[in-house]
Amino acid sequence: MKKGKWTGRISAILIAFSLVFTAACGGGGSDQGKGSEELAEEQVLTSGRVRSEPPSLDPATATDSTSGTILNQVMEGLTQIDAEGNPHPAVAEKWEVSEDGKEITFHLRKDAKWSNGDPVTAHDFEYAWKRVLDPKMKPPADYAYQLYYLKNGEKYNQGKAKAEDVGVKAVDDHTLKVELEQPTPYFVALTSFYTLFPVNKKVAEENDKWATEADTYVGNGPFKLKTWEHDAKIELVKNEHYWGAKDVKLTQLNFPFIGKEETGYQQFKSGKLDEGDSTIIPPDLVKKGLESGEIKSQKQPAVYFYMFNVEKKPFNNKKIRKAFALAVDRKSLVENVTQGGQVPATGFVPWGIPDFVAEKDWVETRDDYLPEKAQPEEAKKLLEEGMKEEGFDKLPAVTIDYNTDEGHKKIAEAIQQMWKKNLGVDVKLRNSEWQVYLDKTKAGDFQVGRLGWLPDYMDPMTFMDMWVTGGGNNDTRFSHKEYDALIKKAKSTADQKVRMEAMHKAEDILMDEMPIAPLYFYVLTHMEQDYVKGVVRNPDGSVYFRDAYILEH
């Protein structure tokens, strides 16, 4: 789930869309680690970024940040986004965009290879993208809508067109021609997202379980799977077939699954972990760690929110959903619970996402939809009105679901207390492991659930189109004809004024209907040993170890 750049970066994607890139992918040069810094003899890095078993390492079915962390090391797309939000050549050396913005021709590098030695070709991308859209795909690809930008992409996914009608075609082994339904300013940047990664056709067709074990996994990234001990660890080693292998210094990259923050923190302090994110940072230590400098943080264009299942009582009622949203003290939540520099979310699209017309942060161009402090009187009033509309003498039992994690638990407990204090409602809590939690929410087996959403590309659309009727990631079951029409309108033009206006109106509807209750906007926290260098941590949450290295220590 999914992936901020703010002032000074707003035009990056538009520039990327209109220019032809010919430079090599930016990365570590041969001078890294020289001078006064000496490389350690053993280039092995152990990262504390993975809490539990990745739900899927198949690009077509992955939807979460845990899977994405691994995928970004073992796979590579046509482009890669840098820390400044600019797409750079990756598998594609360069590309051209037609004057009307509806055709893009990617030219692939001839030295790109799969980890089994096969060449990476344009046919692999055509196969992979059509595989995501295939209406017979089992399980269906939740992110299929990310390829609806292709000509006839949506029609094929809905069984109304043939595969050969879809606007992606390998002209030859190293030329990929893309036809779009409409000019899409961020499509070049989108090709860095894992749903659009290539898949080795021969491997996938010979074994439909190819992406479930280290022995059968074939990727095209700087690292390859060495060990996948399910529910325990993943170990990667340098991919000798990677086109940029000469610049990859790490020989091994380890991801032990860290079940508890306290465990990860102790392992970091004892030197068993070289770096990590919030997975190894106990919530109680965040404030102190930030003050001491042990923990680093930066704004992240992501939002933490509670989602309501609008098909489950009592949250089938709009006023009741609003009541619960207004009964949350977001200011207290970030100051007393999360304590990491987060800010109250007064809308859904977070800080760091640009409004391309205003040329400033989206949040600076709209009024607040939600208060930072709770409004108990208004919340109680709405709850009473909603109960009357539904004929409830007594409110049905309410349960908050969350995936097992100390931070999510503390937030759920705080919300539980707020809803008791401000609404007089007793709320139960239920936790489950990550994959089980995803399965529950996907099946609609919840009333209230937590979720965090990171941008897949730097445009408000990455937050707005997930709530269309029947959307693959719309677990709330929310459906609104005018909302759908506005998203369709925003996707049908390259006119930024029309696009931004349509998406602002869509957010108005979303926050009026309230199928979700935004809580706070994220910060990205991490810890790193002094001898670790070159890890690329993008504000969108993606991390790359391609250029990482270990100094003598």
Side-chain angles (χ1 to χ4, degrees):
M1 293 172 185
K2 338 54 68 311
K3 311 231 216 164
K5 293 77 190 171
W6 23 95
T7 305
R9 305 175 184 168
I10 289 175
S11 62
I13 293 169
L14 289 180
I15 293 172
F17 182 76
S18 61
L19 295 182
V20 177
F21 282 82
T22 57
C25 182
S30 59
D31 61 339
Q32 282 187 333
K34 290 187 177 182
S36 61
E37 299 180 331
E38 292 186 12
L39 291 176
E41 184 175 346
E42 186 179 63
Q43 289 295 310
V44 177
L45 188 150
T46 301
S47 174
R49 287 183 171 269
V50 178
R51 187 178 302 278
S52 58
E53 180 79 3
S56 176
L57 293 187
D58 183 338
T61 54
T63 62
D64 67 299
S65 57
T66 299
S67 302
T69 294
I70 305 299
L71 279 168
N72 282 334
Q73 320 315 318
V74 299
M75 288 282 193
E76 186 174 76
L78 293 167
T79 65
Q80 183 172 314
I81 299 298
D82 66 15
E84 298 302 316
N86 303 307
H88 289 274
V91 177
E93 289 184 307
K94 60 182 179 178
W95 53 87
E96 298 103 28
V97 182
S98 64
E99 287 189 13
D100 65 2
K102 294 175 69 173
E103 291 187 6
I104 309 173
T105 303
F106 293 94
H107 301 277
L108 279 60
R109 61 179 69 249
K110 295 179 181 179
D111 55 350
K113 292 184 178 181
W114 293 99
S115 55
N116 66 356
D118 291 346
V120 178
T121 72
H123 300 281
D124 295 319
F125 283 92
E126 179 182 354
Y127 168 74
W129 293 7
K130 289 180 177 179
R131 180 170 173 259
V132 170
L133 290 168
D134 190 345
K136 297 179 181 178
M137 178 78 175
K138 299 295 182 184
D142 288 342
Y143 263 130
Y145 65 88
Q146 293 290 36
L147 284 163
Y148 284 3
Y149 301 107
L150 299 179
K151 183 178 179 180
N152 292 316
E154 183 174 7
K155 289 180 180 178
Y156 174 52
N157 187 238
Q158 296 178 350
K160 299 176 182 178
K162 298 178 181 179
E164 54 264 35
D165 299 328
V166 177
V168 56
K169 183 175 179 56
V171 177
D172 55 43
D173 284 353
H174 302 105
T175 309
L176 187 72
K177 183 177 181 181
V178 174
E179 294 183 80
L180 304 176
E181 285 281 357
Q182 302 290 341
T184 306
Y186 45 83
F187 188 83
V188 170
L190 182 58
T191 64
S192 69
F193 185 54
Y194 51 74
T195 303
L196 280 72
F197 285 171
V199 169
N200 188 307
K201 180 179 180 180
K202 182 180 178 182
V203 170
E205 290 189 340
E206 287 182 353
N207 177 13
D208 60 3
K209 303 293 185 183
W210 68 275
T212 62
E213 300 292 341
D215 291 344
T216 56
Y217 199 89
V218 176
N220 71 318
F223 300 95
K224 61 182 182 180
L225 276 169
K226 173 190 176 185
T227 305
W228 188 351
E229 189 176 325
H230 295 284
D231 296 315
K233 65 180 179 180
I234 281 178
E235 294 175 340
L236 310 179
V237 292
K238 181 177 176 177
N239 176 11
E240 70 277 16
H241 295 296
Y242 178 60
W243 64 267
K246 65 180 178 64
D247 292 326
V248 179
K249 293 179 173 59
L250 294 180
T251 58
Q252 185 157 325
L253 178 57
N254 302 321
F255 292 96
F257 300 167
I258 310 295
K260 294 183 177 181
E261 292 94 338
E262 290 79 6
T263 301
Y265 182 73
Q266 290 304 320
Q267 290 180 353
F268 177 82
K269 297 294 286 185
S270 66
K272 292 181 180 179
L273 292 177
D274 300 311
E275 75 90 46
D277 59 3
S278 58
T279 299
I280 64 170
I281 302 176
D284 293 344
L285 297 182
V286 172
K287 186 176 182 180
K288 181 180 178 182
L290 288 171
E291 291 172 350
S292 69
E294 180 181 41
I295 298 173
K296 309 295 183 184
S297 73
Q298 65 189 92
K299 285 183 177 181
Q300 186 176 21
V303 58
Y304 189 105
F305 60 96
Y306 273 9
M307 55 182 175
F308 302 114
N309 186 338
V310 302
E311 293 181 350
K312 294 274 189 180
K313 294 180 179 181
F315 299 109
N316 57 310
N317 184 276
K318 180 170 101 172
K319 289 182 177 178
I320 293 177
R321 297 194 297 269
K322 283 188 171 182
F324 277 75
L326 291 175
V328 175
D329 190 326
R330 291 162 180 79
K331 185 175 177 62
S332 175
L333 190 67
V334 299
E335 291 181 351
N336 302 312
V337 181
T338 62
Q339 297 185 311
Q342 299 89 349
V343 298
T346 57
F348 184 61
V349 179
W351 59 6
I353 294 296
D355 180 314
F356 290 104
V357 174
E359 295 188 349
K360 58 177 69 173
D361 257 21
W362 182 272
V363 296
E364 297 176 32
T365 65
R366 61 157 173 80
D367 294 329
D368 291 341
Y369 296 105
L370 289 165
E372 292 190 358
K373 300 283 289 182
Q375 294 183 344
E377 296 306 316
E378 179 65 16
K380 287 177 183 176
K381 176 175 175 290
L382 285 169
L383 179 60
E384 290 175 3
E385 292 176 359
M387 289 179 64
K388 185 176 181 181
E389 288 178 359
E390 298 299 322
F392 294 150
D393 293 325
K394 182 180 180 182
L395 192 72
V398 173
T399 299
I400 296 174
D401 273 283
Y402 63 94
N403 55 295
T404 305
D405 173 275
E406 192 61 30
H408 300 325
K409 179 183 179 183
K410 288 182 178 295
I411 291 169
E413 289 173 342
I415 300 296
Q416 180 187 44
Q417 293 172 8
M418 292 174 189
W419 285 349
K420 175 64 175 177
K421 175 185 177 182
N422 297 327
L423 288 176
V425 176
D426 291 313
V427 176
K428 297 178 181 179
L429 306 182
R430 180 173 65 171
N431 70 295
S432 49
E433 294 304 314
W434 183 227
Q435 181 62 65
V436 175
Y437 178 76
L438 290 177
D439 291 342
K440 279 183 178 180
T441 53
K442 181 60 58 183
D445 180 21
F446 76 102
Q447 291 174 299
V448 185
R450 57 84 31 196
L451 203 62
W453 197 255
L454 290 74
D456 303 328
Y457 48 92
M458 294 314 303
D459 190 279
M461 185 59 76
T462 191
F463 290 90
M464 301 308 298
D465 67 356
M466 67 183 293
W467 305 116
V468 298
T469 301
N473 290 305
N474 182 1
D475 295 336
T476 68
R477 274 57 175 176
F478 171 69
S479 177
H480 194 284
K481 288 183 178 180
E482 186 179 353
Y483 185 91
D484 294 347
L486 286 165
I487 298 303
K488 184 176 182 180
K489 181 179 181 180
K491 287 188 172 185
S492 67
T493 178
D495 186 323
Q496 293 289 21
K497 188 174 188 297
V498 174
R499 294 182 68 247
M500 297 302 116
E501 286 180 354
M503 285 190 282
H504 275 296
K505 289 179 181 178
E507 190 176 22
D508 290 344
I509 292 172
L510 183 70
M511 299 310 299
D512 178 60
E513 294 290 330
M514 208 71 71
I516 54 170
L519 298 181
Y520 62 79
F521 298 149
Y522 275 62
V523 292
L524 194 63
T525 56
H526 77 273
M527 295 193 299
E528 177 180 78
Q529 305 287 6
D530 292 340
Y531 53 78
V532 175
K533 304 295 179 182
V535 179
V536 175
R537 303 176 183 87
N538 288 344
D540 65 1
S542 59
V543 60
Y544 299 92
F545 293 91
R546 175 191 185 276
D547 299 325
Y549 57 100
I550 304 293
L551 295 178
E552 192 64 57
H553 59 281

